[in-house]
Amino acid sequence: RVQLVESGGGSVQTGGSLRLSCKISGYTYTTGCLAWFRQVPGKEREGVASFSFELGSSTDYADSVKGRFTISQDNAKNTVYLQMTTLNPEDTAMYYCAARSGTCYLTASWYNIWGQGTQVTVSS
């Protein structure tokens, strides 16, 4: 079965950077969508970035992270990454990667495969 395992979270100060990784096992995605979401307690899971195999490796980002976050995918390593720069305290959350077949959406309900999450904490 498909498993997603996130890593790379941690604590940084405002303005710092982190790179999250999501290692995929049990399947090699060459179609469909890989995405990153984040969630803080008491709030809905928010779509951050997506990578679509369907649209020639196109990407999409939430407005709040455009220009600061970059999603990428490495077929050889079967891993999807989220490079995060210029972090601020509002980026503090548990970050999850997710996968689905078909079109990408930055809405959590469309995804049926999830990792366990990795915590990112940004201090001021």
Side-chain angles (χ1 to χ4, degrees):
R1 66 184 178 99
V2 180
Q3 287 190 304
L4 310 178
V5 179
E6 302 94 334
S7 61
S11 297
V12 296
Q13 291 189 326
T14 296
S17 300
L18 282 173
R19 188 177 80 157
L20 306 183
S21 300
C22 175
K23 176 67 176 175
I24 304 162
S25 61
Y27 189 76
T28 299
Y29 280 89
T30 57
T31 61
C33 180
L34 301 171
W36 286 95
F37 289 79
R38 65 187 182 186
Q39 189 171 26
V40 297
K43 292 191 175 182
E44 292 188 356
R45 196 163 291 191
E46 173 193 19
V48 175
S50 66
F51 179 98
S52 173
F53 292 96
E54 305 293 326
L55 300 175
S57 302
S58 67
T59 58
D60 191 22
Y61 298 92
D63 287 344
S64 59
V65 306
K66 280 181 182 176
R68 300 189 299 122
F69 291 12
T70 303
I71 188 171
S72 62
Q73 186 270 346
D74 186 331
N75 263 334
K77 296 182 178 181
N78 215 16
T79 300
V80 60
Y81 302 99
L82 185 68
Q83 179 68 51
M84 307 186 294
T85 64
T86 319
L87 286 161
N88 59 65
E90 289 68 40
D91 297 315
T92 295
M94 183 72 78
Y95 283 72
Y96 299 89
C97 67
R100 71 181 304 272
S101 58
T103 306
C104 280
Y105 300 96
L106 287 179
T107 304
S109 59
W110 284 99
Y111 293 79
N112 59 347
I113 300 172
W114 292 88
Q116 84 290 346
T118 186
Q119 177 68 37
V120 171
T121 303
V122 186
S123 59
S124 57

